[in-house]
Amino acid sequence: MNSTIITETECNLRVCRIQAVMQERGIHAMLVTSHINILYLTGSIFMGAIYIPTQGCASRFIRRPQTLCSGLNAHAIRKVEQIKDIISLPSGATIALEESEQTYSDILRLQNLFTDCRFVDATSILRHVRRIKTEVEIAQIRQITARHSELMAMLPYLYRNGMTDLEYQYAIEYKMRQMGSIGIFRCFGMDMEIFMGSLLTGNNADAPSPYDFALGGSGTDAFPLGANGSPLCNGQSVMLDMAGNLGLYLSDITRTHAIGKLPTEAYCLHELSREIHRHFMQTAQPGVSCSEIYEQAYRMVQTAQATDYFMGHTRQSQFVGHGVGLQINELPVLTLRSQDILAAGMVIALEPKFVLPGIGGVGVENTYLITEQGVELLTPCDESIIDLTLL
């Protein structure tokens, strides 16, 4: 994405939101070095740092590409140590560094620039601010979700009789790339690797993975997540959890297909997932706690006596949704432990899913926008279980 799409006014708005939190917490300065937050603040990625004072304009220190060095507050540097020659801070100042996004050696290198200062974590502040999307972000997310919804409607027609899960996923990934997918999507957290999404069928939907996603799949030796070469067999479900990585921002959609007819229980649990979505749309609004959203969903699952299959079977995830934005797993997280409260401008992926041993996963995931009036569905596409053999 070209940085000119994000105007100077928009960049300043995002900086001001961060500065408001800094002022509340008595932080004098912040140094932003991660690609994800440089992208958030500028609309482009560069190697270097952004210096945010508690008041006033932010400054960019760019190692490469230095073609981005334009404007009064952009400085070309060869090494981060040069930052200290350009900015000045009082002795004992509090500086925020992205402690959860940098290596230990990089943190030490920055700390050694300001040996008489106190350091705090910037990662939590930046993730907190990014929960609430600006109008510009919301407009871009609307475009992405609309294209994503159109794409998901095309995917069932890529199925061919006799495919394995990997063959079906390859066909899907090819189509997604044709439609503009950038091929990867960004995750928060160490070693959270994934490519475009996952396809799960049969018992593989119940296989735990080393990654912190709702469902796993054993994957391959090189990438232990998602499809593993299983044949797409009659009587099994096929769950597609494909990220809408069709631009700068992300959306999240899951739809369930079937190879032939599934057991009655699978359709019942799939409908329960849809009921949880409908309840969310009726009850979620600014001021509602994320823990309450999870509790309401879990009570519906308990009433249906389906807790053994909720968010997995062998290993069950303890959340039912998450924020979406520049990364696929942003705040807030809809879990019992969450302290977050829904607010207008949050973009939420709700994913109540169920896994039946021998059958596979069923359920729906949609992306929603929290508004002042309640909830807006951003991904309106067919939620029924589609029998791929009938297409």
Side-chain angles (χ1 to χ4, degrees), residues 17 130-135 137-139 141-142 145 276-290 293 296 321-324 330-334 340-350 366-379:
R17 288 185 169 190
R130 282 174 32 213
R131 296 175 313 154
I132 310 297
K133 275 54 179 180
T134 67
E135 290 301 321
E137 290 183 286
I138 291 170
I141 291 170
R142 286 188 194 281
T145 51
I276 292 171
H277 279 271
R278 291 192 288 268
H279 183 77
F280 175 79
M281 291 193 68
Q282 293 168 359
T283 59
Q285 59 183 333
V288 174
S289 70
C290 293
I293 297 296
Q296 290 173 353
H322 53 88
V324 180
E330 294 196 350
L331 296 177
V333 181
L334 306 183
D340 277 318
I341 304 297
L342 293 182
M346 288 182 174
V347 177
I348 303 290
L350 185 71
N366 282 321
T367 301
Y368 298 94
L369 172 66
I370 306 299
T371 71
E372 294 290 355
Q373 293 73 40
V375 177
E376 177 186 346
L377 173 63
L378 297 177
T379 51

Side-chain angles (χ1 to χ4, degrees), residues 242-255:
M242 308 304 294
N245 47 350
L246 298 163
L248 186 59
Y249 286 85
L250 299 171
S251 60
D252 215 355
I253 301 177
T254 297
R255 291 297 183 264

Side-chain angles (χ1 to χ4, degrees), residues 144-152 242-244 246 251-253:
I144 296 298
T145 51
R147 291 167 60 199
H148 192 185
S149 298
E150 293 174 6
L151 176 60
M152 290 298 288
M242 308 304 294
L246 298 163
S251 60
D252 215 355
I253 301 177

Side-chain angles (χ1 to χ4, degrees), residues 91-317:
S91 177
T94 299
I95 303 176
L97 303 177
E98 293 174 277
E99 295 176 354
S100 298
E101 297 276 12
Q102 296 175 277
T103 65
Y104 180 64
S105 60
D106 284 339
I107 292 171
L108 287 181
R109 190 174 180 183
L110 291 174
Q111 289 178 342
N112 286 335
L113 299 182
F114 308 96
T115 55
D116 58 348
C117 291
R118 173 178 173 265
F119 298 94
V120 297
D121 182 33
T123 304
S124 58
I125 295 172
L126 293 163
R127 279 172 59 80
H128 176 83
V129 169
R130 282 174 32 213
R131 296 175 313 154
I132 310 297
K133 275 54 179 180
T134 67
E135 290 301 321
V136 169
E137 290 183 286
I138 291 170
Q140 294 182 356
I141 291 170
R142 286 188 194 281
Q143 293 176 5
I144 296 298
T145 51
R147 291 167 60 199
H148 192 185
S149 298
E150 293 174 6
L151 176 60
M152 290 298 288
M154 302 176 186
L155 301 187
Y157 298 95
L158 303 177
Y159 170 78
R160 297 293 180 268
N161 185 45
M163 276 184 162
T164 66
D165 57 359
L166 281 171
E167 290 169 336
Y168 188 25
Q169 181 158 336
Y170 297 155
I172 289 170
E173 290 176 355
Y174 179 63
K175 184 65 175 179
M176 290 178 69
R177 290 289 277 165
Q178 286 182 313
M179 294 290 289
S181 168
I182 63 173
I184 62 169
F185 62 86
R186 303 176 184 90
C187 298
F188 175 78
M190 296 293 291
D191 298 327
M192 288 287 281
E193 304 159 327
I194 194 167
F195 183 76
M196 299 177 74
S198 66
L199 185 153
L200 299 171
T201 188
N203 281 325
N204 192 41
D206 197 29
S209 86
Y211 300 95
D212 191 19
F213 296 110
L215 300 183
S218 60
T220 63
D221 290 340
F223 183 55
L225 179 74
N228 66 349
S230 296
L232 300 179
C233 297
N234 188 61
Q236 292 184 343
S237 68
V238 183
M239 177 174 277
L240 298 181
D241 186 351
M242 308 304 294
N245 47 350
L246 298 163
L248 186 59
Y249 286 85
L250 299 171
S251 60
D252 215 355
I253 301 177
T254 297
R255 291 297 183 264
T256 302
H257 306 332
I259 309 299
K261 187 173 179 59
L262 302 181
T264 300
E265 188 176 17
Y267 295 101
C268 291
L269 291 177
H270 187 78
E271 183 58 30
L272 176 57
S273 173
R274 297 181 66 188
E275 289 176 8
I276 292 171
H277 279 271
R278 291 192 288 268
H279 183 77
F280 175 79
M281 291 193 68
Q282 293 168 359
T283 59
Q285 59 183 333
V288 174
S289 70
C290 293
S291 61
E292 183 178 346
I293 297 296
Y294 179 85
E295 286 184 296
Q296 290 173 353
Y298 195 77
R299 282 197 296 270
M300 294 176 69
V301 174
Q302 285 180 313
T303 299
Q305 299 182 337
T307 55
D308 286 349
Y309 310 115
F310 185 49
M311 302 303 290
H313 178 66
T314 300
R315 180 183 182 277
Q316 295 177 298
S317 297

